[in-house]
Amino acid sequence: GSLDHYRVFAAQYPGAALVWSGDWPVFRNSDYWVVVVAQPFTTAAGANAWCDAQGFGSADCFTKKISWSDGPQGSTVHR
């Protein structure tokens, strides 16, 4: 399940966190689990290049600005 997937991911990427989308106003859908890697980037292109370098599929890894105060508009940059 999702928790097992997260555990494997977290073992490979220290600092990974499992967050509930409903806790963050930047997500449009408030009913799913999201794995985030706590690694800041100065640009969306830099974050997406990291996804490419790790070999993730475009639907599995993309840039998302995580914020407590911002809404979802403009917070996602797909690859």
Side-chain angles (χ1 to χ4, degrees):
S2 296
L3 188 55
D4 291 334
H5 177 75
Y6 165 70
R7 287 178 177 145
V8 170
F9 189 87
Q12 187 173 356
Y13 299 96
L18 187 62
V19 300
W20 182 245
S21 64
D23 291 339
W24 297 85
V26 296
F27 292 102
R28 288 187 197 284
N29 185 325
S30 61
D31 192 26
Y32 59 93
W33 291 102
V34 180
V35 177
V36 296
V37 176
Q39 182 171 342
F41 293 91
T42 56
T43 66
N48 280 335
W50 181 88
C51 291
D52 288 335
Q54 302 306 308
F56 289 111
S58 61
D60 296 325
C61 184
F62 49 85
T63 300
K64 180 74 174 177
K65 179 183 177 186
I66 302 297
S67 170
W68 287 109
S69 58
D70 293 344
Q73 186 67 31
S75 67
T76 302
V77 178
H78 292 280
R79 292 171 30 222

